[in-house]
Amino acid sequence: MNCVGIFDSGLGGLTVWQAIKQLEPDLPCLYLADHAHLPYGPRGQDEILRLARQITRQLLAHGAGLIVIACNTASAAALDTLRDEFPATPFVGMEPAVKPAALHTRSGVVGLMATRGTLEGRLLRQTAQRFAGHVEIVSSECPGLAEAIENGVDDAALMPQLHTHTAQMRARGADTIVLGCTHYPLIQPQLGQLLGPQVRLLDPAPAVARQALRLWQAHGFLLPARTTDRFASTGSASRLQAMLERHFKRRADVESWVWQNGELCSDSPPTAA
């Protein structure tokens, strides 16, 4: 196995990729942005599971030994099923950082910014019941926010959205806010400007990266002599290239993968077994 496979509906999962590279720069990654189905948030769980299943098969065909579902919505819809269907493959999913938020809050009020799919998922419900029963959780679906981040909306247009999405959290006195979508860490400066230094923002990406590295090592996967990261999009390759440069100062060729009759196809040959 020669890489970590990572996928999301867009660029948000690159925050997880970045956290992995900060921990282990020599760990090669294959990142897929499923722009053809962006955003995942409003989609039904059955559809997301079907997409995640196809993506998993392609990532495995291209040498992924471990797969990170770098999307809260897809993790909620597909993580348990994928683990059952691909038992030989370790998976790491996203889980909103409700547990650490409940531990860190001083006001007893935690804000949660997430998509509808995440908020309605069983994973969040179980985590909140188990670890956050003693705090008040004020959540917002943040409709349109992931798309705005993908499209590079400027601050003049973004700040009114953030003001609306966080209004109830601020009114209730939330002092800790969970970023429950991998896109949202990309706008931490804007959120910090709006909320002030007294509000703590929790990004789960570093914890997910640590778990991915632990599993990679626990399964005895080795680091290759030469590290090569690959990036692919089911939408516009040039768009993902621009996003990598703008947000992560990374220049890279981006492969074009396409959906055909419900199946995902890549433009490069699979890795030989």
Side-chain angles (χ1 to χ4, degrees), residues 8 10-22 31 33 35 149-150 182-188 203 205 229 231 239-252:
D8 184 21
L11 73 92
L14 289 170
T15 59
V16 178
W17 164 77
Q18 183 182 53
I20 291 173
K21 302 303 289 187
Q22 288 173 343
Y31 183 89
H35 281 127
I149 296 169
E150 284 276 344
T182 51
H183 283 75
Y184 301 164
L186 294 171
I187 56 167
Q188 285 194 72
D203 173 13
D229 287 344
F231 301 90
R239 180 184 181 189
L240 184 55
Q241 285 177 321
M243 292 173 179
L244 279 164
E245 291 191 32
R246 181 171 71 246
H247 291 284
F248 300 95
K249 313 305 179 188
R250 173 67 180 264
R251 308 190 81 178

Side-chain angles (χ1 to χ4, degrees), residues 122-244:
R122 181 169 56 90
L123 182 60
L124 173 61
R125 185 167 59 253
Q126 290 176 337
T127 302
Q129 290 174 347
R130 185 176 179 186
F131 299 110
H134 62 291
V135 303
E136 178 184 357
I137 299 178
V138 182
S139 61
S140 172
E141 287 186 15
C142 303
L145 183 55
E147 298 95 309
I149 296 169
E150 284 276 344
N151 293 327
V153 172
D154 61 27
D155 287 359
L158 185 64
M159 291 304 284
Q161 285 195 51
L162 298 183
H163 195 275
T164 299
H165 296 326
T166 62
Q168 189 176 6
M169 302 175 195
R170 290 182 284 111
R172 297 295 299 162
D175 65 348
T176 306
I177 292 182
V178 176
L179 304 180
C181 171
T182 51
H183 283 75
Y184 301 164
L186 294 171
I187 56 167
Q188 285 194 72
Q190 293 91 333
L191 283 169
Q193 178 183 342
L194 173 64
L195 300 170
Q198 73 279 4
V199 176
R200 180 172 185 168
L201 301 174
L202 290 185
D203 173 13
V208 171
R210 289 192 295 270
Q211 177 65 1
L213 186 58
R214 280 195 294 265
L215 285 177
W216 181 270
Q217 295 168 341
H219 282 75
F221 299 146
L222 302 177
L223 296 176
R226 180 181 178 185
T227 300
T228 302
D229 287 344
R230 293 168 57 196
F231 301 90
S233 171
T234 62
S236 168
S238 60
R239 180 184 181 189
L240 184 55
Q241 285 177 321
M243 292 173 179
L244 279 164

